[in-house]
């Protein structure tokens, strides 16, 4: 099979992958989830880890398993046009439209803003902070060969040190046992399914598809050339990354649940983190939180800009260079970040409700494709059925005002009456299964006719 990574190299690759995955949302969402789930923390923890750890790591593995040269090559199994459209939409979502701007704005809102005095201008402070933030992101993104060093050896250890200080301080002196905390309505009877959707907010499942080729390129740069060996190293490194992420999620969810003995349910996880750090670490807590959040967001932004610029340079080789795409995406992210965190989150949710089902089905088809020889008929059938159902999920997630302006109430009512699990925001599952059965019937029908 040829050369494989040593354990030390595998740990370095896993650290780099962890650094690209673990951003601000990966801290904000689990803490808030813990506050909402309370004594139903364990099923909620399981659901969150499935969509925020399991599926993202499978996404990275899907790229390695199919030996695809990036997401576009994988999505082209559905169709050439779909490959371009899905890849562009996915990268723009985890890139300059939502995820990268959210990193900067979350860093500011939860880390820097609490440190400012009452008289400070929030808009001007955000402008200055985001300008410095994206200057650093661009500087490091224009040097992708050093991404393993910057993320794996420098930023990651700093981030983990700051996070460990906060988590250990909180867990060693809990505000209340998690078993005594009453869950909110959504987590009383549907903790697992509610937490599955909460995991969407991290955007990691779609990011996993984007990061796959970056990880493969890093492994190749370490001297591994055989496709089978690369696939195994991707899976092993991904497993190490997933284990570390799951441990951190478990600790932060527990921290959030126990904090309800000290604070009321917060509006979001950023506020909860600020309250927790301030309580346990005093004035130093604000500094620790600011450093933790900023390190997490900085390393994720570097990974996202690198992945997006590389993907567009590969897709449109005659258009712009990698450096030009990196500059464009960084500048656009800087502009979007100054609209504020609330607006970014509000408009990202409907897009995620549409993209996630398509990403999940593509990942599962890629991993199980050997059973049907990666027949395009199966990919096309599953994707078509899933896409139609996911559009209804998108409609339901839109702001009420926009639903009214577009007259979507009739379509949403139709979906509620006809799609199983639509109320749980999993209306795409049964249509995807129908598409799979139809695709397999076409595939095996062709085989019988050929025989």
């Amino acid at each position: 099979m040829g050369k494989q990574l040593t354990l030390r190299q595998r740990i370095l690759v896993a650290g780099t992958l962890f650094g690209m995955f673990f951003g601000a949302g990966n801290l904000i969402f689990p803490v808030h989830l813990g506050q909402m789930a309370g004594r139903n923390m364990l099923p909620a923890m399981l659901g969150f880890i499935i969509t925020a750890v399991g599926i993202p790591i499978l996404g990275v593995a899907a790229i390695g398993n199919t030996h695809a040269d990036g997401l576009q090559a994988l999505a082209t199994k559905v169709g050439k046009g779909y490959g371009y459209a899905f890849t562009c939409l996915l990268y723009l979502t985890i890139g300059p439209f939502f995820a990268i701007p959210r990193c900067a704005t979350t860093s500011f809102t939860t880390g820097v803003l609490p440190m400012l005095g009452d008289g400070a201008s929030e808009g001007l402070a955000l402008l200055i902070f985001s300008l410095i933030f994206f200057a650093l992101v661009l500087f490091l993104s224009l040097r992708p060969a050093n991404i393993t060093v910057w993320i794996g050896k420098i930023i990651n250890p700093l981030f983990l040190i700051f996070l460990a200080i906060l988590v250990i301080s909180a867990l060693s002196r809990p505000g209340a046992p998690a078993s005594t905390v009453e869950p909110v309505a959504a987590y009383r009877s549907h903790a697992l399914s509610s937490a599955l959707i909460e995991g969407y907010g991290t955007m990691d499942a779609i990011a996993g598809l984007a990061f796959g080729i970056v990880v493969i390129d890093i492994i190749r740069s370490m001297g591994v050339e055989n496709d089978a060996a690369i696939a195994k190293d991707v899976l092993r490194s991904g497993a190490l990354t997933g284990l570390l992420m799951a441990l951190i999620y478990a600790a932060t969810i527990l921290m959030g649940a126990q904090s309800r003995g000290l604070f009321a349910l917060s509006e979001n996880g950023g506020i909860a983190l600020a309250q927790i750090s301030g309580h346990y670490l005093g004035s130093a807590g604000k500094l620790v939180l600011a450093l933790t959040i900023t390190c997490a967001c900085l390393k994720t932004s570097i990974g996202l800009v690198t992945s997006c610029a590389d993907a567009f340079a590969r897709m449109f080789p005659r258009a712009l260079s990698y450096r030009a795409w990196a500059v464009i995406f960084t500048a656009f992210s800087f502009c979007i970040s100054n609209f504020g965190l609330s607006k970014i989150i509000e408009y990202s949710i409907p897009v995620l409700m549409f993209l996630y089902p398509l990403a999940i089905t593509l990942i599962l088809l890629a991993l199980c494709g050997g059973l049907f020889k990666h027949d395009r008929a199966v990919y096309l059938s599953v994707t078509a059925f899933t896409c139609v159902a996911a559009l209804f999920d998108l409609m339901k997630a839109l702001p009420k005002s926009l639903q009214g302006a577009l007259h979507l109430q009739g379509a949403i009512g139709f979906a509620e009456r006809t799609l199983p699990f639509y109320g749980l925001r999993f209306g795409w599952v049964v249509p995807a299964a129908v598409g799979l059965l139809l695709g397999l019937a076409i595939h095996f029908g062709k085989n019988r006719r050929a025989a």
Side-chain angles (χ1 to χ4, degrees):
M1 185 176 289
K3 176 178 169 57
Q4 288 185 310
L5 296 184
T6 63
L7 179 59
R8 182 179 178 181
Q9 289 175 319
R10 200 169 294 137
I11 292 173
L12 182 58
V13 173
T16 303
L17 182 58
F18 169 82
M20 292 190 292
F21 268 132
F22 212 92
N26 305 80
L27 286 176
I28 289 173
F29 288 104
V31 171
H32 196 227
L33 172 67
Q35 287 195 326
M36 293 188 292
R39 56 182 168 79
N40 289 338
M41 176 187 67
L42 291 180
M45 191 182 294
L46 175 62
F48 189 84
I49 288 175
I50 288 173
T51 49
V53 179
I55 294 175
I57 297 304
L58 289 179
V60 175
I63 299 293
N65 185 59
T66 56
H67 313 308
D69 188 22
L71 171 60
Q72 184 192 357
L74 181 59
T76 301
K77 293 180 182 297
V78 180
K80 187 175 181 180
Y82 179 84
Y84 274 96
F86 181 74
T87 302
C88 288
L89 181 58
L90 185 143
Y91 272 104
L92 291 174
T93 299
I94 64 166
F97 283 2
F98 299 116
I100 300 175
R102 188 181 74 177
C103 284
T105 312
T106 303
S107 296
F108 174 80
T109 303
T110 61
V112 177
L113 187 59
M115 300 175 66
L116 300 177
D118 295 334
S121 169
E122 183 176 337
L124 179 60
L126 174 59
L127 179 67
I128 295 172
F129 174 82
S130 58
L131 182 62
I132 297 172
F133 182 92
F134 284 112
L136 281 171
V137 169
L138 181 61
F139 175 80
L140 297 174
S141 298
L142 291 178
R143 295 156 179 80
N146 296 324
I147 190 171
T148 303
V149 176
W150 286 110
I151 294 180
K153 293 185 177 180
I154 299 175
I155 301 177
N156 257 354
L158 288 174
F159 163 71
L160 290 173
I161 289 170
F162 297 142
L163 180 62
I165 293 172
L166 180 59
V167 171
I168 292 172
S169 299
L171 295 185
S172 61
R173 291 176 289 158
S179 59
T180 65
V181 177
E182 184 67 19
V184 300
Y187 285 84
R188 286 175 191 155
S189 56
H190 299 103
L192 179 64
S193 60
S194 296
L196 286 168
I197 297 298
E198 192 75 11
Y200 281 16
T202 65
M203 301 191 193
D204 280 347
I206 55 178
L209 290 169
F211 291 155
I213 189 60
V214 177
V215 174
I216 289 171
D217 286 344
I218 291 172
I219 292 174
R220 283 176 178 158
S221 71
M222 293 178 172
V224 182
E225 299 177 354
N226 183 274
D227 284 343
I230 289 173
K232 284 189 175 182
D233 282 324
V234 167
L235 188 58
R236 289 168 179 167
S237 300
L240 290 174
T241 302
L243 178 61
L244 179 57
M245 291 173 67
L247 289 173
I248 293 176
Y249 285 146
T252 48
I253 290 171
L254 177 60
M255 180 175 71
Q258 293 177 343
S259 73
R260 286 289 301 280
L262 301 168
F263 314 107
L265 177 66
S266 62
E267 184 180 346
N268 59 60
I271 295 173
L273 280 172
Q275 292 174 329
I276 293 168
S277 62
H279 174 80
Y280 287 104
L281 303 176
S283 58
K286 294 181 179 180
L287 178 60
V288 171
L289 180 62
L291 291 171
T292 302
I293 291 289
T294 303
C295 284
C297 293
L298 182 64
K299 59 188 177 56
T300 299
S301 297
I302 295 168
L304 289 173
V305 170
T306 302
S307 299
C308 292
D310 182 68
F312 274 75
R314 290 171 187 258
M315 282 192 294
F316 309 106
R318 297 183 180 180
L320 297 172
S321 66
Y322 167 86
R323 295 177 66 86
W325 282 117
V327 171
I328 290 171
F329 289 148
T330 305
F332 191 85
S333 300
F334 164 72
C335 295
I336 295 295
S337 67
N338 281 273
F339 283 98
L341 182 60
S342 297
K343 285 291 183 184
I344 293 172
I345 293 176
E346 180 182 5
Y347 286 99
S348 67
I349 292 173
V351 178
L352 292 176
M353 294 303 295
F354 175 71
L355 274 181
Y356 251 75
L358 296 173
I360 291 171
T361 50
L362 181 62
I363 290 169
L364 295 178
L365 288 173
L367 291 173
C368 303
L371 300 176
F372 53 87
K373 300 180 180 178
H374 292 284
D375 190 339
R376 180 174 176 267
V378 180
Y379 278 89
L380 184 59
S381 178
V382 173
T383 301
F385 277 81
T386 304
C387 185
V388 172
L391 283 172
F392 289 106
D393 285 330
L394 182 152
M395 294 176 193
K396 189 172 184 178
L398 288 171
K400 295 294 183 183
S401 58
L402 194 54
Q403 290 179 10
L406 297 175
H407 306 289
L408 298 177
Q409 290 85 350
I412 294 172
F414 168 78
E416 288 175 340
R417 293 189 301 271
T418 56
L419 289 179
F421 312 120
Y422 185 71
L424 298 175
R425 292 179 287 184
F426 285 100
W428 59 272
V429 172
V430 172
V434 172
L436 176 62
L437 293 175
L438 178 61
L440 290 174
I442 294 171
H443 168 70
F444 289 112
K446 288 190 298 185
N447 286 352
R448 284 196 296 270
R449 286 194 298 271

